[in-house]
Amino acid sequence: MPHRYRDLHPRCHEYRTKNIDKTQYPTIAENCTTISWEYANETNNFGNCVNITKDDEFMYVTSNNVPDFYMNLYCPIGLGFGYCTQSEKDKGTCMFPNLICGGDNGPGALKYGDVWVPNEANYKIPLKGNPTRSDRPGDMYDAETVGGEKTIGPSTGVAINGIGIQGPNDAGDFSIDEGGFQLACGGHVTPPLGNVAPGSDPGPGGPPLYHFHKSPECLEPFKNASIGYAHGAQPYVHAKLIGWAMDGFKIFAYQDVDGAAPIVDECGGHFGPTDTGEIEYHYHSRPIVPYHLACQGPSLSNCARTQRGTNFCHPGCGADVCVQPGTKEGDLREYLDKMGPNMA
């Protein structure tokens, strides 16, 4: 009789949009959902497919959840070991107590580790986030409140290559770092449950689904800070765009204007100029929890009330609203006036 694992995290399902109109979304080629890890390489963009369209209000993203870089075989704790931390085992909260990496666990589970299995994903994201909404801060996993949609429930946003950006923790209540997981390029695959009922769709309860948790430092926007000044790095400019949160606000790589560290709120966002010079609320990827965002900001010092279980809020800047030093007050007020009267 096949094993059935306890679903300790309903966010995987309850935040997934139940019914979407697929005609709104762009298409990807048929072979994008049949490509296998063994045949993905630099000649075919490593199997990655993503297509983005826009209308007057929303961005529509369709991808196959395959990264545009090489992924090594993956076992979170080691070949021949399971998928849970010792603390989860001790507390009886391990979601996969009988699963061993390297075993016969269905599609995506190979002899020496796990690999991604393609699966079409859809995201509908507002073109412009509104920081003056009266319901801020919001749950980092929410899409419906702002009119968005997503088919991958745990995603808090999507990266420029179509890969979902998930929250600070994996299946359990520990952050990636506290759990001791080592993630190449900030991402990994979900445990292979293709042999476990229902076992159909990749992701929680199916074959391995690739996703990000931490900063995807192998993406082009991060090279600005890593390739070295003599090789063209520009460490003293605002970081480039790496993705979008479900609330419509942009997510950027590490540095702010003049290479300064971003002064962010409890959600992980702040007001200030971006790489275009335009003033707006936005998030920054960071090497520490919450990695990208802990809530949909601005936080207004209320991030904690949005957390379900472990609190992953950033310590913040010590104020309800965080503005990057050097931001011109007149430009900030003009930006807020365009959104609404609540904060201006």
Side-chain angles (χ1 to χ4, degrees), residues 224-259:
N224 181 54
S226 63
I227 62 174
Y229 187 74
H231 292 268
Q234 296 179 301
Y236 301 120
V237 299
H238 192 285
K240 299 299 182 181
L241 178 77
I242 69 158
W244 305 268
M246 293 307 304
D247 57 4
F249 293 121
K250 299 169 184 173
I251 307 173
F252 293 87
Y254 294 141
Q255 74 269 21
D256 209 273
V257 174
D258 296 329

Side-chain angles (χ1 to χ4, degrees), residues 37 40-41 46 67-73 115-116 184-185 210 218:
W37 174 84
N41 53 63
F46 296 97
D68 55 348
F69 49 84
Y70 181 75
M71 177 199 157
N72 289 312
L73 291 159
V115 297
W116 47 257
C185 196
Y210 191 87
C218 63

Side-chain angles (χ1 to χ4, degrees), residues 24-27 51-55 58-62 127:
Q24 297 181 97
Y25 291 87
T27 59
N51 195 0
I52 300 175
T53 57
K54 300 176 182 178
D55 60 20
F58 295 95
M59 169 193 306
Y60 301 87
V61 181
T62 301
L127 290 179

Side-chain angles (χ1 to χ4, degrees), residues 24-337:
Q24 297 181 97
Y25 291 87
T27 59
I28 52 178
E30 185 175 344
N31 65 344
C32 291
T33 54
T34 59
I35 183 75
S36 64
W37 174 84
E38 292 91 335
Y39 298 102
N41 53 63
E42 62 180 358
T43 67
N44 56 11
N45 200 33
F46 296 97
N48 172 263
C49 297
V50 59
N51 195 0
I52 300 175
T53 57
K54 300 176 182 178
D55 60 20
D56 293 338
E57 296 184 78
F58 295 95
M59 169 193 306
Y60 301 87
V61 181
T62 301
S63 80
N64 66 346
N65 277 298
V66 172
D68 55 348
F69 49 84
Y70 181 75
M71 177 199 157
N72 289 312
L73 291 159
Y74 178 76
C75 284
I77 299 174
L79 187 65
F81 289 82
Y83 291 80
C84 298
T85 65
Q86 189 59 48
S87 178
E88 289 171 322
K89 296 175 183 177
D90 293 342
K91 294 178 180 178
T93 59
C94 177
M95 295 176 65
F96 324 103
N98 303 305
L99 201 64
I100 300 299
C101 193
D104 181 14
N105 298 316
L110 305 183
K111 182 178 180 180
Y112 294 108
D114 303 330
V115 297
W116 47 257
V117 172
N119 178 51
E120 184 173 310
N122 301 110
Y123 297 91
K124 177 184 176 183
I125 300 174
L127 290 179
K128 292 279 188 180
N130 184 354
T132 70
R133 292 178 60 103
S134 61
D135 57 3
R136 302 296 86 180
D139 187 326
M140 63 177 150
Y141 297 106
D142 182 42
E144 182 179 345
T145 300
V146 295
E149 298 176 344
K150 57 177 176 174
T151 56
I152 306 296
S155 293
T156 63
V158 61
I160 56 175
N161 63 352
I163 298 298
I165 299 172
Q166 297 194 11
N169 58 314
D170 203 0
D173 290 325
F174 297 100
S175 72
I176 293 299
D177 286 309
E178 189 174 2
F181 300 116
Q182 302 298 309
L183 306 188
C185 196
H188 66 169
V189 290
T190 54
L193 299 177
N195 287 346
V196 180
S200 56
D201 297 325
L209 179 76
Y210 191 87
H211 58 282
F212 294 130
H213 286 284
K214 300 187 67 176
S215 302
E217 291 186 330
C218 63
L219 298 191
E220 189 67 29
F222 286 94
K223 290 185 178 180
N224 181 54
S226 63
I227 62 174
Y229 187 74
H231 292 268
Q234 296 179 301
Y236 301 120
V237 299
H238 192 285
K240 299 299 182 181
L241 178 77
I242 69 158
W244 305 268
M246 293 307 304
D247 57 4
F249 293 121
K250 299 169 184 173
I251 307 173
F252 293 87
Y254 294 141
Q255 74 269 21
D256 209 273
V257 174
D258 296 329
I263 307 300
V264 299
D265 62 20
E266 294 174 351
C267 290
H270 68 168
F271 292 93
T274 64
D275 59 329
T276 64
E278 182 181 2
I279 304 291
E280 56 186 308
Y281 184 84
H282 58 280
Y283 304 105
H284 278 272
S285 187
R286 301 171 70 83
I288 61 173
V289 168
Y291 307 130
H292 296 98
L293 62 147
C295 56
Q296 295 178 356
S299 69
L300 307 178
S301 299
N302 283 317
C303 176
R305 72 172 174 80
T306 71
Q307 304 297 289
R308 300 177 63 176
T310 303
N311 186 334
F312 292 111
C313 297
H314 189 277
C317 67
D320 288 353
V321 176
C322 301
V323 180
Q324 186 69 11
T327 302
K328 296 180 180 179
E329 181 178 347
D331 292 343
L332 175 58
R333 288 190 175 277
E334 182 180 352
Y335 165 68
L336 294 173
D337 285 340

